[in-house]
Amino acid sequence: MQTYPLQNTGVSRLIQDFLNESPGLKNFYTQKVSRESLMQQAKVKTKGYKNRAVLTQVLSAQNQILTAKQQKNLKALENPNAVTVTTGHQLNLATGPLYFIYKILHTVKMCEEMNRSQEQFTFVPIFWMATEDHDFEEINHFSTYQSTYRWQRESGGFVGEMGTDGVLAVFTEFFKGLEKNQAAKNLEKMITKAYQKKDLAASTRFLVQELLGEWGVLILDANHPELKRLAIPYFEKELRNQLAQEAVQATNHQLNKYKEQAFAREINLFYSENGKRERIDFEDGVYFLVDSLKKFEGDEIFKALENSPEKFSPNVILRPLYQEIILPNVCYIGGGGEIAYWLQLKRMFAQFEIEFPLIMLRNSFLILTKNQCEKATKFGILPQHLFSPISELKSEWVKQQTDLFEVLEKLKENIEQKFFKASEIAEKTDDTFRQMLLAQQQKQLNGYEKMKKRLQKAEEKRLRSKIRRLENLYEIMFPSGTWQERKINFSVFYQKYGENFFEAVYESLDAFESKFVVKCFDY
């Protein structure tokens, strides 16, 4: 196993500064995640949290079949000293990219480490299903190294409420390509059962439960009337006073040297009715829905909020606030994009008088076989050039296969030495001679650069078959030029290693440091 600090892996400048605890970002988050800061946050959160009864009732109703660890965690949440560590994700088909799994296991590991080291608080892992999302195109597919499997259908409204008719047809070819072993048979059985459920929320819940329920994570669908009722005072504040936009815009102004991650609107709520999710807007004293232009006269929208809070849905700006209203949460674990938009929100949380949680960039992984790791080392990718572009990797590897580049470099040094001596003569005569000398030197150096490029091409041609092997290995490590975890589905490794895959990832995780881990399996 090899690990790299995530700030050294080519992440965005904002995330680099966050991980390096840049003084310029200190005001935009609480403090760095550690055992000590988690304990401090737990003390603060448990003092003001009042929604425990509703939360545990909803979790009990939603999670009918639980493992022993889940039962223990759900029971623990009833106690006033219990807090949560949360991660969340969209309802990607078959869980989508690998990091879906990684972020849940990281959340579990942090809770396990905290519970092992003290007894004052109980830390419970929560997986937040983004059932109210509406971007179907982002979740309707998953990829292996051989293919991308896509579910084509009409979409609209909350993705969690979408029926699953026809989705199993997407898996027909996928199932044919699975390995012939027990792990692959179990995987096919799980997926088949999952997507026989009535809607995408139920399907995702079943699949996550089957895969990771033994780890104790509790699965929450926050699209629930009783949970939404807890948010009524805050949603009303947003409707009446538009608190979020001003706070987020002020933060964005302070963070203007970084790329803006999330956009705050005048009103950051949607209204859902009859399977359609529409953005709420306000103009000339009237609330209306942007697509249908339905209007709410007088206090109608506030009566609707009071009577049917489940019809109101927070957007990307208010969703974190909603999460912290309903959970006794001390830390959110997410990817770089998530951390970037959380950094925009601390001022907004203060406006709503809600405690801002700790935020943690999850661990990232690259999964390889022992043979692939050995090849990557021979090609010079591991350990020092893992994040170099493929063009640089090829160029450096080719140069290491011959001494001709060293010979050329000596020729260049010889040229420079001769012209340096000639320049001493030029100092004693007219400037026109010096100019001519400089021109000749540049001409010679240009010729050297042409020779070096031509030699590079000649060597690449001579080593073509080995370079192709390097390119094929790089494609495994960085499929389509992106990180493996951002494209490839967990099934690629689960069908080979079964539960051992999750065990290996869990053991390699660092609960309190953001790392990139290269994990080499023995076979």
Side-chain angles (χ1 to χ4, degrees), residues 4-9 11-22 25-26 29 32 334 336 339 343 359-362 512-516:
Y4 303 78
L6 267 168
Q7 53 264 54
N8 299 338
T9 62
V11 293
S12 71
R13 182 183 172 191
L14 175 62
I15 296 302
Q16 286 180 43
D17 287 351
F18 171 70
L19 293 174
N20 288 328
E21 300 181 69
S22 169
L25 283 181
K26 290 286 188 180
Y29 61 97
K32 187 181 187 298
I339 298 303
L343 288 170
I359 50 177
M360 171 91 189
L361 181 64
R362 62 172 176 80
F512 306 109
E513 294 292 336
S514 299
K515 294 181 178 179
F516 187 102

Side-chain angles (χ1 to χ4, degrees), residues 264-473:
R265 299 186 178 277
E266 186 176 4
I267 294 175
N268 294 278
L269 289 167
F270 290 95
Y271 186 84
S272 180
E273 193 172 42
N274 301 323
K276 191 172 183 181
R277 186 191 196 217
E278 294 188 66
R279 183 164 60 85
I280 302 171
D281 210 342
F282 182 73
E283 191 174 289
D284 298 328
V286 176
Y287 296 93
F288 64 96
L289 305 183
V290 169
D291 294 332
S292 65
L293 300 181
K294 174 182 176 179
K295 294 182 179 179
F296 295 85
E297 303 290 349
D299 288 339
E300 283 181 353
I301 197 162
F302 301 108
K303 291 177 181 176
L305 177 62
E306 184 64 33
N307 295 328
S308 305
E310 69 278 6
K311 292 184 178 181
F312 291 78
S313 174
N315 71 356
V316 66
I317 295 293
L318 283 190
R319 188 209 60 76
L321 184 83
Y322 178 45
Q323 170 187 298
E324 298 303 308
I325 292 167
I326 66 177
L327 292 174
N329 198 52
V330 294
C331 181
Y332 184 82
I333 298 177
E338 291 173 288
I339 298 303
Y341 74 69
W342 273 92
L343 288 170
Q344 295 176 256
L345 304 180
K346 190 166 182 279
R347 183 193 295 258
M348 182 195 77
F349 270 69
Q351 289 289 320
F352 283 96
E353 299 179 317
I354 294 293
E355 189 68 28
F356 192 74
L358 300 173
I359 50 177
M360 171 91 189
L361 181 64
R362 62 172 176 80
N363 282 194
S364 289
F365 280 83
L366 170 61
I367 306 298
L368 299 171
T369 64
K370 182 180 179 181
N371 181 256
Q372 288 166 344
C373 283
E374 290 172 351
K375 287 180 180 179
T377 302
K378 287 180 181 178
F379 278 121
I381 304 174
L382 293 176
Q384 64 269 35
H385 296 300
L386 178 59
F387 300 100
S388 298
I390 183 63
S391 57
E392 289 183 18
L393 288 170
K394 288 194 293 186
S395 177
E396 287 302 314
W397 181 79
V398 167
K399 288 174 183 176
Q400 292 167 12
Q401 308 312 303
T402 178
D403 61 357
L404 293 177
F405 289 95
E406 291 182 19
V407 173
L408 267 185
E409 190 63 29
K410 289 177 181 177
L411 283 174
K412 180 185 178 184
E413 291 173 3
N414 192 28
I415 291 169
E416 290 174 335
Q417 287 172 4
K418 286 181 177 180
F419 276 96
F420 177 76
K421 290 179 180 179
S423 67
E424 293 177 345
I425 299 172
E427 294 294 330
K428 301 175 182 179
T429 187
D430 187 75
D431 189 59
T432 55
F433 180 75
R434 187 180 68 83
Q435 293 295 335
M436 182 275 291
L437 195 66
L438 289 173
Q440 284 298 317
Q441 180 182 11
Q442 190 59 51
K443 185 176 180 180
Q444 293 286 324
L445 291 174
N446 288 343
Y448 161 79
E449 290 298 330
K450 287 180 181 179
M451 284 192 292
K452 190 168 75 169
K453 288 179 181 178
R454 188 62 62 87
L455 176 60
Q456 182 78 27
K457 287 183 179 180
E459 286 297 285
E460 286 181 5
K461 187 174 182 180
R462 181 176 71 85
L463 299 165
R464 186 180 299 156
S465 62
K466 291 183 178 179
I467 289 174
R468 193 173 293 118
R469 289 200 288 271
L470 168 58
E471 291 171 337
N472 290 340
L473 177 60

